[in-house]
Amino acid sequence: MTDHDKDLAADTLDLLRKVSVATLCTQLFKRGLRNVFIQGIGRLTDPAAGNMVGPAYTMRNIPAREDLDQISAFDDYDHPQRKGIESVPPGHVLVLDCRGETRVASGGQILTTRLKVRGAAGLVSDGPVRDSGAISQMDFPVYCAGGSAPLNLIHHHAIDLNVPIGCGGVAVYPGDIMVGDDEGVAVIPRHLADEVARDAAEQEKMEAFILERIEGGAMLRNNYPPNAETRAAFAQWRKQRGI
Amino acid sequence: MTDHDKDLAADTLDLLRKVSVATLCTQLFKRGLRNVFIQGIGRLTDPAAGNMVGPAYTMRNIPAREDLDQISAFDDYDHPQRKGIESVPPGHVLVLDCRGETRVASGGQILTTRLKVRGAAGLVSDGPVRDSGAISQMDFPVYCAGGSAPLNLIHHHAIDLNVPIGCGGVAVYPGDIMVGDDEGVAVIPRHLADEVARDAAEQEKMEAFILERIEGGAMLRNNYPPNAETRAAFAQWRKQRGI
Amino acid sequence: MTDHDKDLAADTLDLLRKVSVATLCTQLFKRGLRNVFIQGIGRLTDPAAGNMVGPAYTMRNIPAREDLDQISAFDDYDHPQRKGIESVPPGHVLVLDCRGETRVASGGQILTTRLKVRGAAGLVSDGPVRDSGAISQMDFPVYCAGGSAPLNLIHHHAIDLNVPIGCGGVAVYPGDIMVGDDEGVAVIPRHLADEVARDAAEQEKMEAFILERIEGGAMLRNNYPPNAETRAAFAQWRKQRGI
Amino acid sequence: MTDHDKDLAADTLDLLRKVSVATLCTQLFKRGLRNVFIQGIGRLTDPAAGNMVGPAYTMRNIPAREDLDQISAFDDYDHPQRKGIESVPPGHVLVLDCRGETRVASGGQILTTRLKVRGAAGLVSDGPVRDSGAISQMDFPVYCAGGSAPLNLIHHHAIDLNVPIGCGGVAVYPGDIMVGDDEGVAVIPRHLADEVARDAAEQEKMEAFILERIEGGAMLRNNYPPNAETRAAFAQWRKQRGI
Amino acid sequence: MTDHDKDLAADTLDLLRKVSVATLCTQLFKRGLRNVFIQGIGRLTDPAAGNMVGPAYTMRNIPAREDLDQISAFDDYDHPQRKGIESVPPGHVLVLDCRGETRVASGGQILTTRLKVRGAAGLVSDGPVRDSGAISQMDFPVYCAGGSAPLNLIHHHAIDLNVPIGCGGVAVYPGDIMVGDDEGVAVIPRHLADEVARDAAEQEKMEAFILERIEGGAMLRNNYPPNAETRAAFAQWRKQRGI
Amino acid sequence: MTDHDKDLAADTLDLLRKVSVATLCTQLFKRGLRNVFIQGIGRLTDPAAGNMVGPAYTMRNIPAREDLDQISAFDDYDHPQRKGIESVPPGHVLVLDCRGETRVASGGQILTTRLKVRGAAGLVSDGPVRDSGAISQMDFPVYCAGGSAPLNLIHHHAIDLNVPIGCGGVAVYPGDIMVGDDEGVAVIPRHLADEVARDAAEQEKMEAFILERIEGGAMLRNNYPPNAETRAAFAQWRKQRGI
């Protein structure tokens, strides 16, 4: 369906660390993809490293059932939720399909700490987390639907690891590149990551130049989007800055 | 997780054909299960055979992605949606996880006709169907979120067959017994089907007796629920009718 | 707060049986009341007697709590839900505050039958009912949010009888006059019932006359609303018909 | 922006009278248009003439304001709502932008009657209508969000006629071709109407043939979508029937 | 409909800069206006100048259509979205009707910067903005439904400038006075702005006095609202402070 | 129904001041209570004292009616909203049932100040407050659905004090123990408060130990939940710390 092992260009992840999710959405829109931004969630933490970037590793939840989803479910250390945390490859982002359920948490501080210690690149859930106050202080990218104290077992049953899922209304295939900034998270289909990263970096240089002009009093006309003259001025500007 | 091959008692499916989904919900509530009724859907057709009854065979959809979900996707006859229709075992109910998406159809008349011809026991989706006018005239149980003309590819990508899913907010495991009447659909965990069927049949006899009394002017007190005296009268009533 | 014992004019209830709820909403709007139509519900039955009309008798539900709201709760014949059914005065409408909860039923066939036998004027709930197929065949006015099989105890705890409540977003004070037609239910503050009934009946005569004209090809201009000339023609028309 | 005076081919409207809205959605999807089905509404009436077909004539509502939107507003016969009714060209469909507001009506029986008498092709609103019982008996296509008794002035202020609007989440430009069947309403951009009508008619012939096969026991494989062999058989089938 | 050129009293805008939006809502409620607070949005920035105050200049969006709303749409410098930014009169507030659509942005940093440079008094949208992190640092009043990275073209087509619109469920007529504080935005019909400003300023003096009393241990009785004695004490308090 | 005068153990309230609401939800889940966390609200203030803890004192609102709910309603100092504020016993939490209505405020700064001066333990509402900027600076626990400027009378009519209510979808009986931390508010049925407080305190010691281990690199397996060995190590750890 989608090639989740496709090699990425050497600089793709680095480029993605420096561009905004808004720019990525524009690049994906230019390629006909309109539904790539995970809806209904925000960034809970303020990680030092800037953008969250990494391939998706997924976990799927279905609705809980009272006879199966008792507290004793966790006595099994191979419970998919626990196993998921322990199997995310370093550098990957754990993405949870919580069906947009906001009434209960998808996980809490201990699991998030374990994720971080294991070297995961971040956590994305379309549900809330619990212990959200403590988690908000962690130097680790966490994107979720805020905080909620009730535990996951009340409405979730973790069932599958690393299958294609929906998260916040967006398709996430294992290996897709997840990028998060302070505004939210975009899902880049893996086969597009190289070209999108490259074009996004170019677009942002151009927009930095345009923003300077607008701040200096220029009109939108001829500048945004740039006409031939503005493009020429931009080329000059780049040359001067060596970028 | 749940034993979807467990044998059922010989009369279980027959008993389930004659009781109401409301009664089944009460029996499951007595066993601690509060979330067994598929929310947000209704019966579209008026099948001659009465209740829909059969084990669940499931199909899971995730959100569509424009580069994957073009009309040409169906050129592959092994597309999961098509394969799902062709692989439902006779007597089983096809249950679709459409994430409650009401903007597009889960399927239409040709697929539903094929399902019926193949001997499926019914179709349950938490999304709408298209060709809903034609389907509503079929003698085949269809439960869904009404009619909607846009095709599934706009928002759905069929991805998995016969895995545990959520449908209308309820967990559905393959092999669970789906029962539908004119009010909606309950999901009975397979391991409970025998006892729930038996107790539901008993409950309905009792309630038929109580309803007669209430129609005749009796008060709720002592009758609903029945006290010892009413229970004795009921025993008598049963004996007279040989039921 | 509101005088729920105020006597009504002798013909008020009869007048209300013959006007539409739409007309009543217009009359109440003219008096500054914009929020009198119970939202989110419809008529389930098709009673022979036409409009449902009667003073409100209310029942209030709060969210259920698992330790209190077990099936054994009904062993107490004085459970407020049961007591409510048994205490609605004849000719009154039982109005349930279910907080717009659509996931579970507010009641079922046995309780509705008892209501009818006791001479209640109807049932209004902003939640669904169970046994909705059977109830839909009753010759008794039932307005609700459709059918839903799970029993009330899953989400409701009946707590109060005949206190002011909200139902479908509208304030209902005991003694307010409930009127239901095939479109839905309006709540008329008791102190306005006489004048609203009288003016609504007049408005409908006028509109019957205007509709005749429009069906005959007349323009809206001068006719809807009527100018002086049209009013004169209407006066003539009434005289001819003796109405 | 869009050419709302573009001439249509002579047979376009006739072709559109005979195809389903589902088929039109498929044809528009093939052309990259995914959002053409008006969401949240249904057909209220059962017109003898089958599909509603006609160019859009629009009316835009904004939220009401209590000082402007009193009952006296209608004393002005040039009130946009009234003027809109009187200015829809014969054969056109009046399309109302009610912002999906379901709490109040967009109009009632007198206005709908006037629309019909004037020769309009139908009424489409993303809000409800009042007098819905009487309107449901009219031989005139009305698509809306059901019935609601409160009058429009409570939440609507009619402001513009025949400007581009949104209706049920879909863009409607004056002159776009509105097509409604028993499932709902599609909006066909005027410049695509000819080719969509033609291709939809062809698609339905093919699907009638396929449905026959499926009813006769054929598998989806090779038939739906048709492979070369099936297409050849279809060509034969058409020739025999002269269609 | 409403006189958007009506001159304002000399001190009206200054008075409005110092009162809270809550007080304005109370004053408008006293005049029968209940729906004046834009729902579903908040203040994104923390402008040095305090309250945003200025007449409304509006932009209307309808749903996007894929064939019209491609990235190339912006090649036209007269695209309504761009033209809107360039035509807001200095001191005016740009108010966007985004139909409450939260899935995509209404605009971003470059456009907001241009608005600020041009001397606009602020930006109000019932949709989100993109580049929300950068915008949140601007010294410029921006009220919106948070941040969202996808660009407007995915769901919006800008269509009209300076027509009456709905924003967050409230009617906004060009020239209405928009006032925003840290809690949100009220829309004051232009013809009421003078008296509302004056009375709001008076109300706040009174409430400052009452709050002092309550902080000092006074009961609500006799103080809130003030009885004759409290009003007399307030008159004294004002005299002492010369306000 | 529930014993709201039951004495609490001497240390219960103190224990509850130090545990998280997440832990309380887990303890209540272990006892079969799944719906104890008030949905849709958050903490507005940052009180120095940490957790809000106190018995519930309730106020119930129904929908407003224009003829009753004018500004003059407050001239009656015994208006239930005002009386409620003046009658909350010191140390109790005022809990408002606002039916989750987010369009208008439940109260503002003067009332909240009075509550604080009177020694209330906090305010919980499932609606917003007005003057939210000023209130957010108070050293007093306030939990609500954010800020909203319109006054309560627009949609609320305060009707009852200290009756069982729903708040944020949860049953609150007078005397139930309300506990709020930075994540939200749990409702502990009074009869369970002692045991839940004690067990929650124990659970948090255990989890502090486990978190230390996880931060140190331990796997979830054997540690979370703890196996016998980990429990033994924990016993040791406690002894060393004397806790």
Side-chain angles (χ1 to χ4, degrees):
Chain A
M1 205 158 314
T2 190
D3 180 359
H4 67 254
D5 295 325
K6 182 183 176 296
D7 280 345
L8 300 177
D11 60 345
T12 291
L13 297 186
D14 271 350
L15 287 171
L16 291 173
R17 264 183 256 284
K18 294 169 203 142
V19 296
S20 76
V21 168
T23 301
L24 294 172
C25 287
T26 299
Q27 287 299 326
L28 289 160
F29 175 72
K30 286 183 173 179
R31 288 161 176 83
L33 297 180
R34 296 157 183 270
N35 186 32
V36 297
F37 183 71
I38 296 181
Q39 299 289 341
I41 71 172
R43 194 170 72 177
L44 186 64
T45 59
D46 190 13
N51 277 8
M52 170 189 77
V53 178
Y57 182 89
T58 68
M59 183 188 302
R60 180 166 80 95
N61 289 287
I62 62 167
R65 212 175 74 193
E66 290 92 335
D67 59 341
L68 298 174
D69 298 298
Q70 295 294 336
I71 201 82
S72 56
F74 290 136
D75 292 345
D76 173 10
Y77 293 116
D78 292 320
H79 183 285
Q81 192 206 29
R82 302 302 161 85
K83 200 169 154 190
I85 301 283
E86 292 289 4
S87 58
V88 183
H92 281 57
V93 174
L94 179 63
V95 187
L96 307 182
D97 174 350
C98 292
R99 309 178 313 286
E101 171 63 71
T102 60
R103 292 172 296 172
V104 301
S106 1
Q109 186 185 8
I110 291 178
L111 299 184
T112 308
T113 300
R114 179 62 185 151
L115 258 191
K116 185 188 171 192
V117 170
R118 290 196 64 255
L123 171 64
V124 175
S125 171
D126 61 358
V129 295
R130 65 204 308 224
D131 311 318
S132 55
I135 292 175
S136 74
Q137 302 305 314
M138 289 175 66
D139 183 15
F140 183 69
V142 176
Y143 293 84
C144 61
S148 181
L151 75 171
N152 61 325
L153 293 174
I154 293 175
H155 288 306
H156 293 306
H157 181 99
I159 193 91
D160 272 335
L161 297 178
N162 224 23
V163 295
I165 60 171
C167 182
V170 180
V172 181
Y173 290 86
D176 282 352
I177 306 304
M178 311 296 296
V179 183
D181 65 5
D182 56 357
E183 196 154 78
V185 177
V187 184
I188 312 178
R190 191 175 180 94
H191 70 97
L192 294 174
D194 291 343
E195 62 179 89
V196 161
R198 206 169 45 233
D199 290 1
E202 286 299 294
Q203 179 186 332
E204 295 221 333
K205 282 175 200 152
M206 172 71 87
E207 290 186 358
F209 170 73
I210 294 172
L211 183 60
E212 258 188 46
R213 288 202 152 189
I214 299 294
E215 286 172 336
M219 297 180 66
L220 299 175
R221 185 174 296 275
N222 301 335
N223 286 296
Y224 187 56
N227 64 4
E229 196 176 358
T230 301
R231 289 187 175 276
F234 169 57
Q236 189 75 12
W237 181 89
R238 288 184 76 160
K239 202 177 300 174
Q240 289 168 352
R241 280 158 187 73
I243 56 176
Chain B
M1 203 158 314
T2 190
D3 180 358
H4 66 256
D5 293 326
K6 182 181 176 300
D7 280 344
L8 300 178
D11 61 346
T12 292
L13 297 187
D14 271 349
L15 287 171
L16 292 173
R17 263 183 257 284
K18 293 168 203 143
V19 296
S20 78
V21 168
T23 300
L24 294 172
C25 288
T26 299
Q27 287 300 326
L28 289 160
F29 175 71
K30 286 184 174 179
R31 288 161 175 82
L33 298 179
R34 295 158 183 270
N35 186 32
V36 298
F37 184 71
I38 296 182
Q39 300 287 342
I41 71 172
R43 193 170 72 177
L44 185 63
T45 58
D46 189 14
N51 278 8
M52 171 188 78
V53 178
Y57 182 88
T58 69
M59 184 189 301
R60 181 166 79 94
N61 290 287
I62 60 168
R65 212 175 75 193
E66 290 93 334
D67 58 342
L68 299 174
D69 297 297
Q70 294 295 334
I71 201 83
S72 56
F74 291 136
D75 292 345
D76 174 10
Y77 292 115
D78 292 320
H79 184 286
Q81 192 206 26
R82 302 302 161 86
K83 201 170 152 188
I85 301 283
E86 293 288 5
S87 57
V88 183
H92 281 57
V93 174
L94 180 62
V95 187
L96 306 182
D97 174 350
C98 291
R99 310 178 311 287
E101 172 63 72
T102 60
R103 292 172 296 171
V104 301
S106 359
Q109 185 185 7
I110 291 178
L111 299 184
T112 308
T113 300
R114 179 63 184 149
L115 260 189
K116 185 188 170 192
V117 170
R118 291 197 64 254
L123 171 64
V124 175
S125 171
D126 61 359
V129 296
R130 64 204 308 227
D131 311 319
S132 54
I135 292 175
S136 73
Q137 303 305 315
M138 289 175 66
D139 182 16
F140 183 69
V142 175
Y143 292 84
C144 61
S148 180
L151 74 172
N152 61 323
L153 291 174
I154 293 175
H155 288 306
H156 294 305
H157 182 98
I159 193 89
D160 273 336
L161 296 178
N162 223 23
V163 297
I165 59 171
C167 181
V170 180
V172 181
Y173 291 85
D176 283 352
I177 305 304
M178 312 296 295
V179 183
D181 65 5
D182 56 356
E183 196 154 77
V185 177
V187 185
I188 312 178
R190 191 176 180 92
H191 71 96
L192 294 174
D194 291 342
E195 62 179 87
V196 161
R198 209 171 42 233
D199 290 1
E202 288 298 295
Q203 179 187 332
E204 296 220 333
K205 281 174 201 151
M206 171 71 88
E207 290 186 358
F209 170 74
I210 294 172
L211 184 59
E212 258 188 46
R213 288 203 152 189
I214 299 294
E215 286 172 336
M219 298 180 67
L220 299 175
R221 183 175 298 273
N222 300 335
N223 287 296
Y224 188 55
N227 64 3
E229 194 176 359
T230 301
R231 289 185 175 277
F234 169 58
Q236 188 74 12
W237 181 90
R238 288 184 77 161
K239 202 177 299 174
Q240 290 166 350
R241 281 159 186 72
I243 56 174
Chain C
M1 204 159 312
T2 191
D3 181 358
H4 68 255
D5 294 326
K6 182 182 176 298
D7 280 344
L8 301 178
D11 60 346
T12 292
L13 297 186
D14 271 349
L15 287 171
L16 292 173
R17 262 182 257 285
K18 294 169 203 143
V19 296
S20 77
V21 168
T23 299
L24 294 172
C25 288
T26 299
Q27 287 300 325
L28 289 161
F29 175 71
K30 285 184 174 178
R31 289 161 174 83
L33 298 179
R34 295 156 182 272
N35 186 32
V36 299
F37 183 71
I38 297 182
Q39 300 287 342
I41 71 172
R43 195 171 70 177
L44 186 64
T45 58
D46 190 13
N51 277 8
M52 171 189 78
V53 178
Y57 182 88
T58 68
M59 183 188 302
R60 181 167 78 94
N61 289 287
I62 61 168
R65 213 175 73 193
E66 289 92 336
D67 58 342
L68 299 174
D69 298 298
Q70 295 293 336
I71 201 83
S72 56
F74 291 136
D75 292 344
D76 174 11
Y77 293 115
D78 291 320
H79 184 286
Q81 193 206 27
R82 303 302 161 85
K83 200 170 155 189
I85 301 283
E86 292 288 5
S87 56
V88 183
H92 281 56
V93 174
L94 180 62
V95 187
L96 307 182
D97 175 350
C98 292
R99 309 178 313 286
E101 171 63 72
T102 59
R103 292 172 294 172
V104 301
S106 359
Q109 185 185 8
I110 291 177
L111 299 184
T112 308
T113 300
R114 179 62 184 151
L115 260 190
K116 185 187 170 192
V117 170
R118 290 197 63 256
L123 171 64
V124 175
S125 171
D126 62 357
V129 296
R130 64 203 310 225
D131 310 320
S132 55
I135 292 175
S136 73
Q137 303 305 314
M138 288 176 66
D139 182 15
F140 183 68
V142 176
Y143 293 84
C144 61
S148 181
L151 75 172
N152 60 325
L153 293 174
I154 293 176
H155 288 307
H156 294 306
H157 182 99
I159 194 91
D160 272 336
L161 296 178
N162 224 22
V163 296
I165 59 171
C167 181
V170 180
V172 181
Y173 290 86
D176 282 353
I177 305 303
M178 312 296 294
V179 183
D181 65 4
D182 56 356
E183 196 154 79
V185 177
V187 184
I188 311 178
R190 190 174 181 93
H191 70 96
L192 295 174
D194 290 343
E195 62 179 90
V196 161
R198 208 169 43 234
D199 290 1
E202 286 299 295
Q203 179 186 332
E204 296 220 334
K205 282 174 201 151
M206 171 71 87
E207 289 185 358
F209 171 74
I210 294 173
L211 183 60
E212 257 187 48
R213 287 203 152 190
I214 298 294
E215 286 171 336
M219 297 180 67
L220 299 175
R221 183 175 298 273
N222 301 335
N223 286 295
Y224 188 55
N227 64 3
E229 195 176 358
T230 301
R231 289 186 174 278
F234 169 58
Q236 189 75 14
W237 181 89
R238 286 185 77 160
K239 201 176 299 172
Q240 288 167 351
R241 281 160 186 72
I243 57 175
Chain D
M1 204 158 315
T2 190
D3 181 358
H4 68 255
D5 293 326
K6 181 181 177 300
D7 281 344
L8 300 177
D11 60 346
T12 291
L13 298 187
D14 272 350
L15 287 172
L16 292 173
R17 263 183 256 284
K18 293 169 202 141
V19 296
S20 76
V21 168
T23 300
L24 294 171
C25 288
T26 299
Q27 287 300 326
L28 289 160
F29 175 72
K30 286 185 173 178
R31 288 160 176 83
L33 298 179
R34 296 158 183 271
N35 185 32
V36 299
F37 183 72
I38 296 181
Q39 299 288 342
I41 71 172
R43 195 170 71 177
L44 185 64
T45 57
D46 190 13
N51 277 7
M52 170 188 79
V53 178
Y57 182 89
T58 69
M59 183 189 302
R60 181 166 78 94
N61 289 286
I62 61 168
R65 212 176 73 192
E66 289 93 336
D67 58 343
L68 299 173
D69 298 298
Q70 295 294 336
I71 201 83
S72 56
F74 291 136
D75 292 344
D76 174 11
Y77 293 115
D78 292 320
H79 184 286
Q81 192 206 27
R82 304 301 162 86
K83 200 170 154 189
I85 301 283
E86 292 288 4
S87 57
V88 183
H92 281 58
V93 174
L94 179 63
V95 187
L96 307 182
D97 175 350
C98 292
R99 308 177 314 286
E101 172 63 71
T102 59
R103 291 172 295 171
V104 301
S106 359
Q109 185 185 8
I110 291 178
L111 299 184
T112 308
T113 300
R114 178 64 184 150
L115 259 190
K116 185 188 170 193
V117 170
R118 291 197 62 256
L123 171 64
V124 175
S125 170
D126 61 358
V129 297
R130 66 203 308 226
D131 311 319
S132 54
I135 292 176
S136 72
Q137 303 305 314
M138 289 175 66
D139 182 15
F140 183 69
V142 175
Y143 293 84
C144 61
S148 180
L151 76 171
N152 60 324
L153 293 174
I154 293 176
H155 288 305
H156 294 305
H157 181 99
I159 193 91
D160 272 336
L161 296 177
N162 224 23
V163 296
I165 59 171
C167 182
V170 180
V172 181
Y173 291 86
D176 281 353
I177 305 304
M178 311 296 294
V179 183
D181 65 4
D182 56 356
E183 195 154 78
V185 177
V187 184
I188 312 179
R190 190 174 180 94
H191 71 96
L192 295 173
D194 291 343
E195 61 179 90
V196 161
R198 210 170 41 234
D199 290 1
E202 287 298 295
Q203 179 186 330
E204 296 221 333
K205 282 174 200 148
M206 171 71 88
E207 290 186 357
F209 170 74
I210 293 172
L211 183 60
E212 257 187 46
R213 289 203 152 190
I214 299 294
E215 287 172 335
M219 299 180 66
L220 299 174
R221 183 175 298 273
N222 301 336
N223 287 296
Y224 188 55
N227 64 3
E229 197 177 357
T230 301
R231 288 185 176 276
F234 169 58
Q236 189 74 12
W237 181 89
R238 288 185 76 161
K239 202 177 298 173
Q240 289 167 350
R241 280 159 187 72
I243 56 175
Chain E
M1 206 157 313
T2 190
D3 180 358
H4 67 254
D5 294 326
K6 181 181 178 296
D7 280 344
L8 300 178
D11 60 345
T12 291
L13 297 187
D14 271 350
L15 287 172
L16 292 173
R17 263 183 257 284
K18 294 170 204 142
V19 296
S20 76
V21 168
T23 300
L24 294 171
C25 288
T26 299
Q27 287 300 325
L28 289 160
F29 175 73
K30 285 184 175 178
R31 288 161 175 83
L33 298 179
R34 296 157 184 271
N35 186 32
V36 298
F37 183 71
I38 296 182
Q39 299 289 341
I41 72 173
R43 194 170 72 176
L44 186 64
T45 59
D46 189 14
N51 278 7
M52 171 189 78
V53 178
Y57 182 89
T58 68
M59 182 188 303
R60 179 165 80 95
N61 289 288
I62 61 168
R65 213 175 73 192
E66 289 93 335
D67 58 342
L68 299 174
D69 298 297
Q70 294 294 335
I71 201 84
S72 56
F74 291 135
D75 292 344
D76 174 10
Y77 292 116
D78 292 320
H79 185 285
Q81 192 206 27
R82 302 302 161 85
K83 200 170 154 189
I85 301 282
E86 291 289 5
S87 57
V88 183
H92 281 57
V93 174
L94 180 63
V95 187
L96 307 182
D97 175 350
C98 292
R99 308 176 314 285
E101 171 63 72
T102 60
R103 291 172 296 172
V104 302
S106 2
Q109 186 185 8
I110 291 178
L111 299 184
T112 308
T113 300
R114 180 61 185 152
L115 259 190
K116 184 188 171 193
V117 170
R118 291 197 63 255
L123 171 64
V124 175
S125 171
D126 62 358
V129 297
R130 65 203 307 226
D131 311 319
S132 54
I135 292 176
S136 72
Q137 304 304 314
M138 289 176 65
D139 182 15
F140 183 69
V142 176
Y143 293 84
C144 61
S148 180
L151 75 170
N152 60 325
L153 293 173
I154 293 175
H155 288 305
H156 294 306
H157 182 98
I159 194 91
D160 272 335
L161 296 177
N162 223 24
V163 295
I165 59 171
C167 183
V170 180
V172 181
Y173 290 85
D176 281 352
I177 306 303
M178 311 296 296
V179 183
D181 66 4
D182 56 356
E183 195 154 78
V185 177
V187 184
I188 312 179
R190 191 176 181 93
H191 71 96
L192 294 173
D194 291 343
E195 62 179 88
V196 161
R198 207 169 45 233
D199 290 1
E202 286 299 294
Q203 178 186 332
E204 296 220 333
K205 281 176 201 149
M206 171 71 87
E207 290 186 357
F209 170 74
I210 293 172
L211 183 60
E212 258 188 45
R213 288 202 152 189
I214 298 294
E215 286 172 336
M219 298 178 68
L220 298 175
R221 183 174 298 272
N222 301 334
N223 286 296
Y224 188 55
N227 64 3
E229 195 176 357
T230 301
R231 288 186 175 277
F234 169 58
Q236 188 74 12
W237 181 88
R238 287 184 76 159
K239 202 177 298 174
Q240 288 166 353
R241 280 159 187 72
I243 56 176
Chain F
M1 207 157 312
T2 191
D3 180 1
H4 67 255
D5 293 326
K6 180 182 177 299
D7 280 345
L8 300 178
D11 60 345
T12 292
L13 297 187
D14 271 349
L15 287 172
L16 292 173
R17 262 183 257 284
K18 293 169 203 144
V19 296
S20 76
V21 168
T23 300
L24 294 172
C25 288
T26 300
Q27 287 300 326
L28 288 160
F29 175 71
K30 286 184 175 179
R31 288 160 176 83
L33 298 179
R34 295 157 183 270
N35 186 32
V36 298
F37 184 71
I38 296 182
Q39 299 289 339
I41 72 171
R43 194 170 72 177
L44 186 64
T45 58
D46 190 13
N51 277 8
M52 170 188 79
V53 178
Y57 182 90
T58 69
M59 183 188 303
R60 180 166 79 95
N61 289 287
I62 61 168
R65 212 175 74 192
E66 290 92 336
D67 58 342
L68 299 174
D69 298 296
Q70 295 294 336
I71 202 82
S72 56
F74 291 137
D75 293 344
D76 173 10
Y77 292 116
D78 292 320
H79 185 285
Q81 192 206 28
R82 302 302 161 84
K83 201 169 154 190
I85 301 283
E86 293 288 5
S87 57
V88 183
H92 281 56
V93 174
L94 180 62
V95 187
L96 307 181
D97 174 350
C98 292
R99 309 178 312 285
E101 172 63 72
T102 60
R103 292 172 296 172
V104 302
S106 2
Q109 186 185 8
I110 291 178
L111 299 184
T112 308
T113 299
R114 180 63 185 149
L115 259 190
K116 184 188 170 191
V117 170
R118 291 197 62 255
L123 171 64
V124 175
S125 171
D126 62 357
V129 296
R130 65 204 307 225
D131 311 318
S132 55
I135 292 175
S136 73
Q137 303 305 314
M138 289 176 66
D139 182 15
F140 183 69
V142 176
Y143 292 84
C144 61
S148 181
L151 74 171
N152 60 325
L153 292 174
I154 294 175
H155 288 306
H156 293 307
H157 181 99
I159 193 91
D160 273 335
L161 297 177
N162 223 24
V163 295
I165 59 171
C167 182
V170 180
V172 181
Y173 290 86
D176 282 351
I177 305 304
M178 311 296 295
V179 183
D181 66 5
D182 55 357
E183 196 154 78
V185 177
V187 184
I188 312 179
R190 192 175 180 94
H191 72 96
L192 294 174
D194 291 342
E195 63 179 87
V196 161
R198 207 168 44 231
D199 290 1
E202 286 299 294
Q203 179 186 333
E204 295 221 334
K205 281 175 202 150
M206 172 71 87
E207 289 186 358
F209 170 73
I210 293 172
L211 184 59
E212 257 187 46
R213 288 203 152 189
I214 298 294
E215 285 172 336
M219 298 178 68
L220 298 175
R221 183 175 297 274
N222 301 335
N223 287 296
Y224 187 57
N227 64 4
E229 196 175 358
T230 301
R231 289 187 173 276
F234 169 57
Q236 189 73 12
W237 181 89
R238 286 184 77 160
K239 202 177 298 175
Q240 289 167 353
R241 281 159 187 73
I243 58 176

